[in-house]
Amino acid sequence: VRRSMGSIGAPVASLQPLDYDASAKRLRILDQLLLPHAKAWVEVVDVQGAFDVIKRMQVRGAPLIAIVAALGLAVDAHANRGETGGAEDTARGLLDNMQRLRMSRPTAVNLFRAMDELGELVTAEADKDGATGEAVIDAVVAAAEKMLEDDLAANRSMGRHGADLVQRLAPDRPQLRLLTHCNTGALATSGHGTALGVVRELHARGVLEHIYCTETRPYNQGARLTAFEIVEEGMPGTLVTDSMAAFLMHTRGVDAVVVGADRITANGDTANKIGTMSLAIACKHFGIPMIIVAPTTTLDPKLPTGKSILIEERRAEELTSVAGVKIAPDAIGVWNPAFDVTPATLITNIVTEFGVIHPVEKPDGVMFEVPRFMHEHGVLQLPEEALATGGAYYPPDYTKMDEHRLRAYLAATPRLASLLSSPAEEWSIREVGDGNLNLVFIVSGGEGGGVVVVKQALPYVRCVGEQWPLSLERASFEHAALLEQRRWCPEHVPEVYHFDKPNALMAMRFIEPPHLILRKGFITGMQYPSLASHVAEFLAQTLFHTSSLHLPSPEFRTAVSRWSRNTSLCALTEQVVFSEPYMEASNNRWTTPQLDDFARGVREDVPLRLAAAALKEHFLHSTEALIHADLHTGSVMATSETTFVIDPEFAFYGPMGFDIGAFLGNVLLAYFSQGGHSNGDAYAASLLELFQQTWTLFRARFQSLWTASAGRQGPSYIAGVFSTAASVQEAQGPYMDRLMDASLGFAGCKMIRRIVGIAHVEDLESIQDADARSTCEKRALLLARSLVLQSAQGGMDLEAVVAEAQGLYSTPPGDLAWP
């Protein structure tokens, strides 16, 4: 419950960024790309229109982006209300549209919070008894209109709180000189402004001597929009270039810098328009208050620090051209981040509609307890554990397990207590997780008792810490994926006994010794004669039966929509597999200095980057089947006779080749690592044979499932068109060839990321001699490069890949060089 924000201060701005007719459900936005030279309105009639005006920056500013997205969704839903089906179909369509809108701008948190809020509303409305499609739409429209009203009220409140703060910070200055950056006025919000709203309030009080605004290169929002608003409102103002700011502070004096924000993390780190960090550094030097003004919808308590904020990078032409006229040579490289992140240590205060957030001193420096502030003002409910740590974010119903808590939890869960059977005080509990995303406990009931595995998702990446957060919803996807995979391949998927969504916790069968994580078995030289056929069976069954070859079209499309919501882990894959290895990134690491040239080669190899980008596009846009999406050799437990596939938390509808390639790529890494282990060349050869057999057996099994489904209902290669055995075989050949090309390309990407990216593999990392390890890694990288490049060309030959791997395995270290 939000508190009242009090009476209105400064008058409403004369300039308005949007025109919304609530009675007609009609939305128009002021085209900010044409300002200040022309005022033109663009009508937004549907979700695509809202997406376009946000993406093109015809509207911008974090609060306004969220409002236009919400109202665009509402207008679209209202216009199509006569065509809606039941509540479930309507909700599904709205959720799909929300996902589309999320993709318009990645940095501003207001958009994501608005879509989250509307998504929860839609789901709740659709679940009500007697729900109808029209009732769901009415709820969305009402909520979107309320967002518009709330934003205007919040802006006015921020203006008052900010003006009060500035006057308190400069008590001996009856007339104030301020500097602002980018555009944070009426044009960035529902019609009043955040930081510029503070300036507007000071002007209304008669205490504004002067407002300076930066031009804000390269998009010039300050020159085009803020200067325009200053003139329209009759405020005393001056335009300066971004690079003049420090000299302005030194020579003319500035009493405070007031800026807005696109995202503020739990510790107060602030993402805002590029150039904000430079202003903050200058303020620190000259002792000038650096004030952030933003509504609580811009606060993101789930991100501990600014290190995990995704920064949007924009087209080079924005920097190399002005008004369509080139000002830079064509050959010059360009880096054009739209935002920077100002550390909390450089910020004086954060102003919200509920008041001012003040910094606190901590052992590791100054920070802002943003979650605590939100909790105190009813915006966020935090458990005591989070408050005790200064507000580090954990979901309200989430309890991070340790041995003591887990023992009590299991004892209070009848089915699990029954499985363990013996008294709770006799249970043995060990935390054994060696991955990056979860806690994993083995709980043994002792004498005569059972054994279960308990897995709990963490809200962050373990190897990085809380500064890299992750959504706990992935546990729900993992649970659903295990159920679906076990449906089609029960002999290779463990049974799930219990799932607790709020705690992101799952209890399942303990895969007993002598089962071993496959990667560890490869390191020690274990033989797995059944492995190729087992993995091929798992891949064929799970991929075929969740594809459009098998599922009827409505069921297939519903599944694609449902699984497309596993966005956080898809984004993680996109980042660590397809992006970071090919660029300078703080997460990257490799064996140095031995691999420095190869790591640089990966980053500077243009054909490789292009081929990897094409595979990323395939990963982004293909919805062939429900894939495990993280099927490496750490996700398989095996003996010589049995095999289990585990940990499908990354699951989503994606390209089949990503699963196949992930396994094959990790087998190749194990193969090349044998040069640093003592298992012998014969064992290495057996791994290369495993690589070849897995694909060959998979292909045969997948095609047999396809052929046997003569009466299949899937929309792909329907029986009515491909009615004879010969016609089915004609379809299968090219289909499987394309799948092999994609699989081997993805295998190459996975190999590269495991050598020069953030998370490596024990196969290679366990080689203590850095020279020996780097030799194995170089051989693997050269094959990986070849696989990625050949995948782009198509028509790959598995025998030739095997021969190339054999040749690289025996290449002397001195002959290994990046092409």
Side-chain angles (χ1 to χ4, degrees):
V1 178
R2 294 179 176 238
R3 296 179 181 174
S4 169
M5 290 178 274
S7 59
I8 295 174
V12 176
S14 59
L15 193 63
Q16 296 297 303
L18 59 80
D19 173 29
Y20 178 68
D21 184 338
S23 59
K25 302 296 183 277
R26 184 168 178 259
L27 174 64
R28 299 189 305 159
I29 61 97
L30 186 63
D31 188 345
Q32 297 187 24
L33 293 177
L34 301 181
L35 295 175
H37 306 296
K39 292 183 183 179
W41 293 89
V42 177
E43 186 154 5
V44 176
V45 298
D46 54 21
V47 164
Q48 185 60 47
F51 178 93
D52 289 341
V53 297
I54 294 169
K55 186 70 174 177
R56 295 170 185 159
M57 293 181 67
Q58 290 171 288
V59 295
R60 20 74 52 217
L64 184 59
I65 287 171
I67 291 164
V68 169
L71 290 176
L73 182 75
V75 167
D76 185 299
H78 179 78
N80 294 291
R81 64 188 303 123
E83 302 174 14
T84 59
E88 185 177 344
D89 288 341
T90 301
R92 186 180 304 117
L94 285 165
L95 292 171
D96 288 345
N97 281 339
M98 291 177 205
Q99 185 62 30
R100 170 70 172 154
L101 288 165
R102 288 172 188 269
M103 298 169 65
S104 57
R105 296 291 298 275
T107 302
V109 72
N110 306 58
L111 170 63
F112 291 85
R113 291 192 66 178
M115 294 301 103
D116 286 345
E117 188 175 320
L118 291 173
E120 291 172 3
L121 173 68
V122 163
T123 302
E125 287 292 325
D127 286 343
K128 289 181 178 179
D129 291 339
T132 64
E134 293 207 348
V136 174
I137 290 172
D138 288 340
V140 168
V141 171
E145 292 175 348
K146 181 79 164 46
M147 287 179 181
L148 175 61
E149 297 170 7
D150 288 349
D151 186 71
L152 183 57
N155 278 211
R156 289 171 170 169
S157 181
M158 282 184 285
R160 294 192 306 277
H161 288 304
D164 291 345
L165 174 66
V166 172
Q167 289 186 285
R168 287 199 304 271
L169 292 173
D172 57 343
R173 292 281 299 163
Q175 291 290 307
L176 298 162
R177 292 191 293 265
L178 274 69
L179 171 65
T180 192
H181 185 58
C182 196
N183 176 254
T184 58
L187 294 172
T189 65
S190 58
H192 186 73
T194 55
L196 201 59
V198 173
V199 177
R200 183 174 281 114
E201 176 69 26
L202 291 169
H203 181 56
R205 296 180 183 184
V207 296
L208 179 66
E209 177 183 314
H210 212 84
I211 174 64
Y212 295 94
C213 65
T214 61
E215 62 173 347
T216 320
R217 280 282 289 153
Y219 225 66
N220 296 317
Q221 295 97 322
R224 290 188 298 107
L225 306 177
T226 302
F228 184 59
E229 289 199 50
I230 290 171
V231 172
E232 286 277 314
E233 297 294 320
M235 292 187 285
T238 297
L239 175 68
V240 298
T241 67
D242 300 10
S243 54
M244 295 175 185
F247 192 58
L248 170 71
M249 295 174 186
H250 179 63
T251 56
R252 294 196 174 186
V254 171
D255 296 306
V257 172
V258 289
V259 299
D262 286 81
R263 192 182 293 250
I264 300 172
T265 63
N267 73 333
D269 290 349
T270 297
N272 193 47
K273 184 57 56 184
I274 190 74
T276 303
M277 186 180 185
S278 300
L279 290 176
I281 293 170
C283 283
K284 190 77 168 180
H285 177 78
F286 290 111
I288 296 169
M290 178 71 182
I291 301 169
I292 308 296
V293 186
T296 51
T297 53
T298 305
L299 307 179
D300 190 353
K302 295 183 180 181
L303 296 191
T305 73
K307 291 181 180 179
S308 47
I309 296 177
L310 177 63
I311 298 298
E312 176 186 3
E313 295 189 18
R314 296 188 61 83
R315 296 178 300 111
E317 289 77 9
E318 293 178 5
L319 197 59
T320 59
S321 301
V322 175
V325 178
K326 286 188 176 181
I327 61 171
D330 292 337
I332 190 67
V334 171
W335 181 47
N336 185 21
F339 304 90
D340 57 29
V341 178
T342 299
T345 53
L346 299 178
I347 296 169
T348 307
N349 291 104
I350 299 171
V351 176
T352 77
E353 69 269 35
F354 296 112
V356 180
I357 310 178
H358 299 282
V360 294
E361 290 284 347
K362 293 287 184 178
D364 52 351
V366 172
M367 66 169 287
F368 294 83
E369 293 183 339
V370 169
R372 183 186 294 277
F373 179 88
M374 297 174 74
H375 177 84
E376 290 171 351
H377 291 86
V379 183
L380 178 70
Q381 295 300 314
L382 289 174
E384 289 301 318
E385 178 182 0
L387 291 175
T389 62
Y393 183 82
Y394 286 88
D397 299 326
Y398 180 87
T399 300
K400 182 180 176 182
M401 292 297 169
D402 56 22
E403 179 181 339
H404 174 74
R405 289 172 179 159
L406 183 60
R407 189 182 302 275
Y409 178 92
L410 295 173
T413 307
R415 186 184 182 194
L416 298 180
S418 175
L419 284 169
L420 293 165
S421 74
S422 58
E425 58 270 20
E426 297 180 7
W427 297 343
S428 168
I429 301 177
R430 292 184 297 127
E431 208 280 301
V432 297
D434 61 355
N436 284 319
L437 307 180
N438 308 285
L439 296 172
V440 180
F441 300 88
I442 296 178
V443 185
S444 174
E447 189 71 28
V451 184
V452 298
V453 170
V454 177
K455 180 176 180 180
Q456 184 180 38
L458 289 169
Y460 53 84
V461 178
R462 286 179 93 176
C463 70
V464 179
E466 294 191 358
Q467 63 265 35
W468 190 331
L470 286 175
S471 168
L472 292 174
E473 191 179 11
R474 70 184 192 273
S476 298
F477 287 107
E478 178 174 13
H479 173 241
L482 283 168
L483 296 182
E484 185 68 12
Q485 290 169 350
R486 185 170 169 81
R487 174 187 177 191
W488 299 112
C489 196
E491 63 271 31
H492 298 307
V493 180
E495 181 182 0
V496 177
Y497 303 134
H498 171 79
F499 178 62
D500 176 352
K501 183 175 181 180
N503 279 306
L505 180 148
M506 182 164 44
M508 66 186 78
R509 170 188 165 173
F510 171 60
I511 304 174
E512 70 284 352
H515 287 94
L516 188 69
I517 292 291
L518 186 57
R519 180 176 291 150
K520 295 182 181 295
F522 286 161
I523 293 170
T524 57
M526 294 187 65
Q527 296 287 346
Y528 296 100
S530 303
L531 181 63
S533 62
H534 290 172
V535 173
E537 180 72 9
F538 170 82
L539 287 168
Q541 292 284 0
T542 58
L543 296 179
F544 176 80
H545 285 108
T546 60
S547 75
S548 59
L549 289 167
H550 173 76
L551 294 177
S553 184
E555 188 177 340
F556 175 76
R557 292 188 180 280
T558 298
V560 170
S561 175
R562 174 193 179 194
W563 287 94
S564 294
R565 295 174 60 193
N566 196 7
T567 55
S568 63
L569 290 188
C570 287
L572 179 61
T573 300
E574 292 153 20
Q575 178 180 347
V576 302
V577 176
F578 297 109
S579 296
E580 287 188 346
Y582 307 95
M583 59 188 282
E584 295 279 0
S586 58
N587 290 324
N588 291 344
R589 62 186 182 87
W590 54 85
T591 304
T592 187
Q594 291 91 338
L595 228 59
D596 289 356
D597 288 346
F598 273 61
R600 187 182 308 109
V602 170
R603 297 193 302 272
E604 296 178 355
D605 192 322
V606 174
L608 177 63
R609 294 203 318 256
L610 288 172
L615 286 162
K616 183 178 182 180
E617 285 292 294
H618 188 30
F619 179 85
L620 283 165
H621 299 295
S622 174
T623 55
E624 292 174 342
L626 177 62
I627 65 173
H628 181 288
D630 197 31
L631 189 54
H632 52 71
T633 49
S635 297
V636 178
M637 297 189 71
T639 67
S640 60
E641 299 176 351
T642 55
T643 304
F644 289 95
V645 177
I646 59 175
D647 297 342
E649 61 200 308
F650 281 73
F652 78 109
Y653 259 74
M656 297 183 192
F658 192 75
D659 266 7
I660 303 163
F663 183 77
L664 295 180
N666 274 263
V667 171
L668 288 173
L669 288 174
Y671 166 70
F672 283 110
S673 76
Q674 296 306 312
H677 296 299
S678 57
N679 300 320
D681 291 343
Y683 185 74
S686 73
L687 293 177
L688 200 55
E689 184 179 356
L690 169 67
F691 163 81
Q692 190 170 12
Q693 282 184 342
T694 301
W695 168 258
T696 303
L697 293 172
F698 163 77
R699 178 169 184 150
R701 185 67 176 118
F702 190 91
Q703 289 183 194
S704 72
L705 291 171
W706 184 345
T707 302
S709 300
R712 62 189 179 277
Q713 297 176 324
S716 293
Y717 301 94
I718 61 174
V721 177
F722 296 88
S723 56
T724 67
S727 63
V728 171
Q729 290 177 0
E730 289 170 356
Q732 288 177 345
Y735 185 100
M736 300 306 294
D737 289 345
R738 290 192 302 270
L739 183 52
M740 185 178 74
D741 289 341
S743 299
L744 293 175
F746 285 127
C749 287
K750 296 286 273 187
M751 294 167 70
I752 290 170
R753 88 92 157 183
R754 289 294 188 178
I755 297 174
V756 298
I758 182 175
H760 293 193
V761 291
E762 189 179 356
D763 311 66
L764 294 165
E765 293 291 281
S766 60
I767 302 172
Q768 297 301 310
D769 186 301
D771 289 332
R773 179 171 68 250
S774 64
T775 296
C776 298
E777 291 170 332
K778 288 178 182 180
R779 291 166 175 159
L781 280 173
L782 289 172
L783 181 65
R785 177 183 185 272
S786 177
L787 294 177
V788 174
L789 293 177
Q790 288 184 67
S791 175
Q793 299 166 1
M796 298 184 72
D797 183 330
L798 195 64
E799 294 285 350
V801 171
V802 170
E804 185 176 4
Q806 291 170 329
L808 284 167
Y809 188 85
S810 60
T811 299
D815 293 342
L816 297 169
W818 193 260

